[in-house]
Every structure is written in C-alpha cells, then in structure tokens.
Amino acid sequence: MNGSLKIGHLFGIPIYLHWTFLLVIPLFAWIIGSQILLTTELIAGLFGTEITMTLFAGGAAPYILGTAIALGLFAGVLVHELAHSLVARSKGIKINSITLLIFGGVASMEEGLPDPKIELPMALAGPLTSGAIGLVCWAVTYAAAALVVGGQISPAIGGVLIFFFGYLALLNIILFLFNLLPAFPMDGGRVLRAWLAKKMPLHQATRIAADVGRGFAVFFGIFGFLVFNPILIIIAFFIYIGANQEATMVRYNFLLQDVTVGDVMTSPVQTVPPEISVSEVMRMMYETKHLGFPVVDRGVLVGMVTLGDVHAAPEIDREAMQVRDLMSKDVLTLSPSAALAEAMQIMSRTGIGRIPVKQGNDLVGIVTRTDIMTTLEIKEA
C-alpha cells in the first residue's frame, strides 16, 4: 500500500505501518491524557474498584500512559488482522501483507470471487479475537484490583495497571461489538454477505450487503454531524467508499470469471529495442496512441517503457538517453490462460496499466487496462 513502511514479519506475513498510523498515536495519547480524570472515574465505576492516580495524575504522565494504551490498542488490532489472515491462509488464500491504518488494519489477500464457506469463519475470526483480548484484559484488571486489596502490590502501581488494562478491555469489547455491525465491508457486513450468499448469487448478496453498509455510513455521518463528532464522520466516509469499491470489484470479478487474458490481449504486440532513443519512443507513443511498449532484446523480454518512465527522467536529459536508461526491468507477465480478473487485480494493486503476455519464453501479446474496461462494458451491455 502506498505510503506504508515495512516493520517486519509475523508468521511469514509482511507487516506495514501506513503514514496515517503515525497521526493517530499522538491523537489517542492526547485524548486519553486530557480526559484522564473523567476516564478514571468511568473505569473505577465500571469495575467497582478504587483507582489510585498517584503515578499518572499530572505532568506528562497521563500522556505517556495514553501513548502506551494507544500502542496496546493497535497491538490488539494487529492480532485481530492476524486472526483473519491465519484463518484465510488455512483455507488456501495467499496473504500478501497486513497494513495498520488510522482506524485499524487491513489484510491484503489474493482471492477472486469470495467463497461464503471460507468468508464466514474468516470474518468472524477478527471480532472474536478482539472480544477474547477484551475479556483477558478484563480479567487482568480484576486481578490487579485483587492484588491491591491483598497488599501484594502498592495502590499506586495497582492504579496504573487497573487503568491500563481496564481501558484496553473497554476498547477491545467496543471493537468486538462495532465490527459485528452489518456495515459492509466491515466484518459484520462480510458475515451478512456470507449468509445471503447461501440464498442467492454472490454478486447479488454483495450488492445487498453493500447497500446495508452504505445505509450505516449515512447514519454514522448524520449522527456524527449532529453530535459534532469528526471521528464518526470519517468512519462513515471510509465505510461508504469501501462498500462501493468492494461491491464494484466483486461485480467485475463475476463478469470476468470466464474470460482469459488470451481472449482480449492485443497480438502481435509492438515492441522496441533497448537501444532506441527516448525521443523516438515518444514519437511512437504519439503516432500509435500507446502509452507503453515491451522492450525486447534479441527475442527476449528485458523490460517495459511507459510514458510514466519518460516523465520520470529530467526533460533536459531525454535527448541523450536510450530506452535502456529508463525502462522498468522488473516486469510482471501473465500467460494467455490466466484469468482476466487476475490481470485486473494486479493492475489495481500495483497501479500499472499494461501487462505483457508470455507463452513459455515467447512474448505473444499484451493486455491493458483499456482492454479490461472494454470487456466489462460489453459484458454489462
């Protein structure tokens, strides 16, 4: 995902931090720290125990504790997404990565049309994991209170532990309940789609679930506006956009499910040698209206040159440059028998607009985003 920083692997799955995640940690720390008295009273009343605030009553301590809670919350979000991913992987779905975002996490998976039998346990795994984390934190909160009463730990240290784990218990229980709302594409919405897909075709089930998700988004948006809550408005925006995107992707996958790359590729494909000048390639682009060409050297595909590659080079240097100086050498290819939906997913994920097609070692064609969109228009007619 663009704007993300890779921080490591868990169970062989790459973990990324999106730049928005760096915004939410100080925001959460400020919210928790600035409301420390009110929140302490809430947690004390909820758990029926006293909380000694000696160690976090003033200065920077409330904000340090707020930062620790924010990090604990997103550790729980990461475990939530890992639960989704590990269940999906056990069902044979490849997991590309997990990315932590401003309002949670997202697991990138390679799948075509979702299988309701797989989606149902996969969707439930995340909220149930959050609920389990919440219950564990709930139990630790009561355990810390009991240790204070029994004199095993001081009231000051106990106060920190009760506040920390009590706050995390509350947040994870809320996360559990919120994710079960049937607001597609949230987990509850995916459960709804899996249930509907038992009674109707998947693309129809997706359309209904997406309509329900958009309805929740409108409700959240209006309610957030009325109570002046910007977080609810932003959540509404993400749900609405996500429902539209996922419904569109499933509809496209449904329309393309029987179409292969070989059915729509352009063949034979126009190629260029690596020693051709950049100015000559630009002239070819202008004449053919093609914005990219495979680069072939002695019958072997060695790269791709696109208008984006040309624009990336300083204009003053282009006259003296050859294609080999700016072409992309790491070229994705597909076979003619590959599903056209796979080509669409690759283009959507990587942002590229064309993919060379190879049969063995031979370049036999090229498929572009325009080819896919034209096919979709014909299928929808």
Side-chain angles (χ1 to χ4, degrees):
M1 185 177 290
N2 293 335
S4 299
L5 172 68
K6 187 175 181 180
I7 60 172
H9 291 77
L10 282 174
F11 300 97
I13 302 172
I15 309 297
Y16 291 86
L17 283 182
H18 195 258
W19 66 268
T20 55
F21 180 84
L22 302 178
L23 298 178
V24 77
I25 293 299
L27 175 62
F28 271 38
W30 177 80
I31 291 174
I32 295 170
S34 61
Q35 298 178 350
I36 197 75
L37 291 174
L38 180 63
T39 310
T40 301
E41 292 176 1
L42 173 65
I43 294 174
L46 185 63
F47 288 92
T49 184
E50 292 185 5
I51 299 179
T52 302
M53 299 179 60
T54 307
L55 296 180
F56 60 94
Y63 302 98
I64 294 172
L65 185 56
T67 302
I69 291 172
L71 292 173
L73 171 63
F74 277 91
V77 170
L78 176 57
V79 175
H80 175 115
E81 292 301 328
L82 273 174
H84 285 311
S85 300
L86 294 177
V87 171
R89 193 164 68 178
S90 72
K91 303 294 184 179
I93 298 175
K94 182 180 178 182
I95 309 300
N96 295 317
S97 64
I98 292 175
T99 303
L100 293 177
L101 301 159
I102 186 169
F103 285 119
V106 60
S108 172
M109 307 179 186
E110 285 190 5
E111 60 173 336
L113 288 171
D115 183 346
K117 294 180 181 178
I118 295 176
E119 185 171 45
L120 183 58
M122 186 176 71
L124 286 172
L128 291 177
T129 299
S130 293
I133 293 172
L135 291 177
V136 169
C137 290
W138 199 282
V140 173
T141 303
Y142 277 117
L147 290 174
V148 171
V149 173
Q152 286 91 345
I153 59 175
S154 68
I157 293 176
V160 173
L161 293 177
I162 294 169
F163 185 89
F164 179 81
F165 286 103
Y167 207 120
L168 285 181
L170 190 58
L171 289 176
N172 278 282
I173 295 298
I174 291 173
L175 192 63
F176 161 72
L177 296 173
F178 185 73
N179 271 278
L180 286 180
L181 290 176
F184 189 80
M186 291 168 54
D187 296 331
R190 294 184 182 279
V191 171
L192 172 63
R193 178 173 70 175
W195 179 77
L196 290 172
K198 295 179 180 179
K199 308 173 184 299
M200 62 186 70
L202 180 67
H203 66 287
Q204 293 181 9
T206 301
R207 186 183 70 248
I208 294 173
D211 288 341
V212 174
R214 284 188 283 262
F216 270 96
V218 171
F219 172 77
F220 288 153
I222 294 174
F223 185 73
F225 178 78
L226 292 176
V227 300
F228 302 104
N229 189 321
I231 292 179
L232 271 181
I233 296 173
I234 296 173
I235 289 174
F237 172 79
F238 277 104
I239 291 176
Y240 195 92
I241 296 299
N244 284 338
Q245 289 179 340
E246 183 118 5
T248 299
M249 185 60 70
V250 169
R251 187 175 83 253
Y252 285 174
N253 281 328
F254 172 75
L255 293 171
L256 298 178
Q257 61 183 333
D258 298 321
V259 185
T260 66
V261 168
D263 293 333
V264 304
M265 70 182 186
T266 299
S267 181
V269 58
Q270 187 167 7
T271 64
V272 297
E275 64 271 10
I276 191 174
S277 67
V278 172
S279 57
E280 178 64 15
V281 166
M282 292 179 67
R283 184 191 64 78
M284 291 175 61
M285 290 179 179
Y286 179 78
E287 290 182 352
T288 64
K289 305 301 185 289
H290 295 161
L291 302 183
F293 299 102
V295 183
V296 174
D297 187 15
R298 289 172 290 205
V300 178
L301 178 67
V302 295
M304 278 288 296
V305 60
T306 67
L307 184 60
D309 296 323
V310 174
H311 283 162
E315 188 173 355
I316 194 171
D317 297 333
R318 291 176 193 167
E319 287 297 326
M321 297 179 74
Q322 296 180 338
V323 162
R324 71 171 80 249
D325 299 322
L326 48 74
M327 69 182 186
S328 301
K329 297 179 182 178
D330 187 15
V331 183
L332 289 170
T333 64
L334 289 171
S335 69
S337 60
L340 189 60
E342 181 183 354
M344 179 182 65
Q345 290 165 7
I346 291 173
M347 291 181 187
S348 175
R349 186 173 67 247
T350 62
I352 61 178
R354 55 200 51 79
I355 301 175
V357 183
K358 293 177 65 177
Q359 184 78 59
N361 293 323
D362 299 325
L363 180 66
V364 295
I366 191 168
V367 62
T368 68
R369 184 178 284 110
T370 301
D371 296 328
I372 296 173
M373 298 311 296
T374 300
T375 304
L376 286 169
E377 288 182 15
I378 294 171
K379 286 281 189 176
E380 288 186 315

